[in-house]
Amino acid sequence: MSRLSRLLPALIGLTLISTGALAEELTGTLKKVKETGTITIGHRESSIPFSYLDDKQQPVGYAMDLCLRIVDAVKTKLNMPNLKVNLQPVTSANRIPLMQNGTIDLECGSTTNSVKRQEQVAFGPTYFVINVTAAVKKNSGIKTLADLNGKTISTTSGTTSVPLLKQYEKTKSVDVKEIYGKDHAESFLLLSQDRSSAFIMDDILLAGQIANSGNPGDYVIISESLRQEPYSMMLRKDDPQFKALVDKTIGDVMKSGEIEKIYAKWFTSPVPPKNINLNFPATAAIKDAFANPNDKGVQ
Amino acid sequence: MNYNWNWGVFFEELPGGEATYWEILLEGVGWTLAVSALAWIIALVIGSVIGTIRTTQSRPLVALGNAWVEFFRNIPLLVQIFLWYFVVPEVSAPLKAWVVQAEPSHVQFLMAVIGLGLFTSARVAEQVRAGIQSLPRGQRAAGMAVGLTTTQTYRFVLLPMAFRIIIPPLTSETMNLIKNSSVALTIGLAELTFRAREMGEYTFNFFEAFSAATLIYIAIAMTANRVMAHVERRVAVPGYIAGGAK
């Protein structure tokens, strides 16, 4: 039996080579996955509905669904139906180092694809486009970003919202005071405690915080936008083989229209764990990203 | 591991072009030093009082001292800072009114100093108590015998020696306090670790950012260590146990 089990991989390998499935030599991530027999996916713990833990502490979400398509494609490509899938929680601070040192092979969360970040990592096709904007209390009377002049706003430290806001202040000669929360929940807490008049963040994350709050009816998201940013899955740089597989897999999901079903499942239907509906239909920018799959980063 | 080291990143400008990364790290160092210094003063003053009363003969005072130490030592620092910043203003209307209209960084600074100062005061109190209790019992008795009051006995006999004895553990505590000040990032105070994380987020050069932060923390802590060692030498009583560190 043991001899047989040792022989089996060799036999399978031979069969594959003879059928030409492995005609192309494996490099980068695919080579690593083939050699180790595992692929490790980095996921977030509270990026609702992209990648987060459900009530059974399992990572689920829109980005996770898309990444599992990639895993399926890897299984097919390497002919490894029993490929082991490791799930590794990551944070916004450690996702890059973990990707670079090989702990994770693919990151599926809510990561903005920017030109600057592309110097360190690569991205798959854009699967979501956010607007950086503000959530305010309905009774505050704030309707536009300009109304924030002289007010205190909260935002989450380390996010791209901070420099955007600074830029806006400079160009529109608006003056605001900033408070930083360490995560989105804290930034929202500051707004709900009236310690800030607005929470500046990606619109979808604002919608998530509002939907999860005790009284969602009290809050409203301003329709003005500071900037649009594409979200995408992150992979290692200079790995053309894996990148091509990711692009093809996600591109196919988008072109076949299957993406609309996956989108509806997470953004316009109730999602676990609290069965809250985010009511966030696809914007024009998101529909455009689905129609023309691309990995362009923002400046 | 294919990491693109880029040490020039410190001289790049932040998105928005207001400052370069080394400038914001330096600003962060300023907050770290300010929080540490003020919290250290609070910790030393309150810690000395609490530690001293725990060695007195008065039961209520000892009970008060014990309660103080157990309360502040048994709650994680992270939780304490969160309570000071988010919860305390909610239960006090005048404080809330001030917090809402004040400059946010001032509120964060104040709460971080209080939180860190009180947390460390419990630890300093333990050391002061241990220092006093390590003295031979005869010293207290001798003070009383020459007619000093309890206060005078502490002031002129017990505390001068106790403080000399606890300089080494107090040095460790000072260094701990400086490093603990990084917890203030959780309430948004833009100190050194906050700035290092921020730099990592914008540039994805996390290793460079945290390498710099590491070196700066080592430099600050080492300086504190050397200063305390100097103090220890200066105040040493010849022939007495705490005369070490030459």
Side-chain angles (χ1 to χ4, degrees):
Chain A
M1 182 62 211
S2 74
R3 182 184 290 175
L4 184 64
S5 61
R6 238 179 292 150
L7 271 173
L8 257 177
L11 278 174
I12 293 170
L14 273 176
T15 325
L16 287 176
I17 290 164
S18 59
T19 54
L22 277 182
E24 165 191 27
E25 199 189 328
L26 292 175
T27 56
T29 303
L30 288 176
K31 185 173 175 217
K32 177 182 169 236
V33 170
K34 181 79 189 173
E35 280 167 1
T36 57
T38 51
I39 184 166
T40 306
I41 293 187
H43 65 86
R44 302 296 292 269
E45 290 176 301
S46 61
S47 281
I48 301 170
F50 294 94
S51 173
Y52 63 100
L53 298 178
D54 66 4
D55 36 5
K56 294 172 209 77
Q57 296 299 305
Q58 282 301 305
V60 294
Y62 175 65
M64 288 304 288
D65 276 3
L66 292 175
C67 279
L68 292 178
R69 294 304 176 99
I70 297 171
V71 171
D72 287 342
V74 171
K75 282 181 185 169
T76 314
K77 167 131 184 143
L78 301 179
N79 202 1
M80 295 171 81
N82 297 321
L83 179 67
K84 195 164 162 252
V85 182
N86 281 342
L87 298 167
Q88 166 77 39
V90 300
T91 67
S92 55
N94 69 17
R95 58 192 168 182
I96 312 302
L98 288 180
M99 169 65 65
Q100 286 165 326
N101 74 11
T103 307
I104 58 173
D105 299 311
L106 187 66
E107 193 252 7
C108 314
S110 48
T111 303
T112 296
N113 175 358
S114 75
V115 173
K116 184 81 196 159
R117 287 174 174 183
Q118 286 184 6
E119 289 172 17
Q120 295 288 350
V121 290
F123 290 90
T126 297
Y127 52 63
F128 199 81
V129 183
I130 56 95
N131 286 299
V132 179
T133 182
V136 296
K137 284 202 171 165
K138 263 184 193 154
N139 60 17
S140 69
I142 297 170
K143 296 270 185 291
T144 63
L145 292 169
D147 290 345
L148 293 173
N149 195 10
K151 300 263 192 335
T152 302
I153 62 94
S154 56
T155 186
T156 307
S157 61
T159 59
T160 41
S161 317
V162 187
L164 281 176
L165 191 71
K166 295 241 165 83
Q167 229 160 11
Y168 182 83
E169 280 183 62
K170 241 190 338 201
T171 52
K172 300 276 160 72
S173 57
V174 170
D175 185 34
V176 301
K177 287 191 271 189
E178 300 114 19
I179 320 184
Y180 302 114
K182 82 168 181 315
D183 53 34
H184 303 319
E186 261 187 20
S187 305
F188 190 77
L189 179 63
L190 288 163
L191 172 64
S192 66
Q193 287 185 343
D194 289 318
R195 288 170 71 167
S196 71
S197 306
F199 173 16
I200 310 270
M201 189 41 59
D202 306 357
D203 50 3
I204 181 62
L205 298 176
L206 293 174
Q209 289 295 331
I210 291 173
N212 262 315
S213 70
N215 25 5
D218 287 1
Y219 302 92
V220 62
I221 297 175
I222 287 179
S223 57
E224 219 175 327
S225 167
L226 282 170
R227 178 166 84 157
Q228 289 195 332
E229 291 182 3
Y231 276 3
S232 190
M233 64 269 293
M234 187 167 69
L235 45 147
R236 262 181 294 277
K237 219 184 135 190
D238 302 325
D239 188 357
Q241 216 173 38
F242 188 50
K243 166 93 172 111
L245 182 132
V246 169
D247 284 351
K248 166 122 186 27
T249 310
I250 301 301
D252 287 351
V253 171
M254 286 174 176
K255 287 197 171 130
S256 69
E258 212 187 332
I259 189 82
E260 275 145 42
K261 258 184 262 158
I262 305 177
Y263 187 94
K265 175 180 163 195
W266 294 102
F267 293 96
T268 56
S269 327
V271 295
K274 292 196 198 161
N275 281 321
I276 283 166
N277 187 338
L278 292 174
N279 280 319
F280 201 91
T283 60
I286 295 172
K287 284 179 184 149
D288 186 55
F290 291 166
N292 309 296
N294 70 85
D295 65 352
K296 283 202 231 35
V298 286
Q299 278 302 321
Chain B
M1 172 130 180
N2 51 351
Y3 188 83
N4 295 330
W5 291 95
N6 173 17
W7 293 102
V9 70
F10 293 106
F11 301 100
E12 287 175 17
E13 282 193 339
L14 264 81
E18 294 224 321
T20 53
Y21 286 107
W22 72 265
E23 284 171 336
I24 63 159
L25 284 182
L26 210 64
E27 263 176 53
V29 173
W31 282 113
T32 294
L33 290 176
V35 168
S36 304
L38 274 182
W40 192 75
I41 292 170
I42 292 180
L44 202 64
V45 172
I46 299 181
S48 303
V49 173
I50 298 291
T52 305
I53 65 173
R54 291 184 73 192
T55 62
T56 58
Q57 316 289 333
S58 157
R59 276 170 176 261
L61 282 183
V62 172
L64 173 72
N66 289 347
W68 181 277
V69 168
E70 295 311 325
F71 183 78
F72 285 106
R73 203 171 54 160
N74 291 344
I75 302 173
L77 177 57
L78 197 64
V79 176
Q80 290 193 30
I81 299 256
F82 184 90
L83 290 176
W84 282 111
Y85 187 67
F86 283 105
V87 182
V88 171
E90 289 305 303
V91 292
S92 155
L95 185 62
K96 177 74 185 274
W98 174 75
V99 157
V100 169
Q101 55 85 33
E103 185 70 34
S105 61
H106 295 176
V107 182
Q108 290 155 355
F109 179 71
L110 181 74
M111 296 307 181
V113 167
I114 295 176
L116 198 57
L118 296 188
F119 172 80
T120 314
S121 78
R123 303 175 55 94
V124 171
E126 271 299 84
Q127 289 162 6
V128 171
R129 180 182 65 88
I132 294 171
Q133 288 178 345
S134 75
L135 297 170
R137 271 194 208 165
Q139 294 207 357
R140 184 192 295 266
M144 295 296 185
V146 297
L148 299 180
T149 64
T150 304
T151 315
Q152 286 171 330
T153 308
Y154 273 101
R155 168 68 186 82
F156 296 111
V157 181
L158 300 176
L159 288 178
M161 287 323 295
F163 272 113
R164 284 176 169 79
I165 290 169
I166 63 166
I167 288 178
L170 217 49
T171 306
S172 304
E173 211 46 62
T174 309
M175 294 162 79
N176 272 343
L177 185 143
I178 293 166
K179 290 173 283 181
N180 283 343
S181 69
S182 61
V183 170
L185 82 88
T186 59
I187 56 169
L189 186 70
E191 47 72 68
L192 181 53
T193 310
F194 179 101
R195 290 302 194 183
R197 275 168 54 125
E198 189 179 29
M199 181 178 161
E201 286 289 339
Y202 292 153
T203 62
F204 273 27
N205 292 104
F206 279 98
F207 291 178
E208 290 86 342
F210 277 93
S211 302
T214 306
L215 291 176
I216 295 170
Y217 274 115
I218 291 176
I220 297 173
M222 287 291 281
T223 309
N225 176 309
R226 291 294 91 202
V227 169
M228 292 292 276
H230 180 72
V231 170
E232 192 179 353
R233 273 199 303 273
R234 280 296 299 272
V235 302
V237 176
Y240 206 73
I241 53 166
K246 279 268 179 325

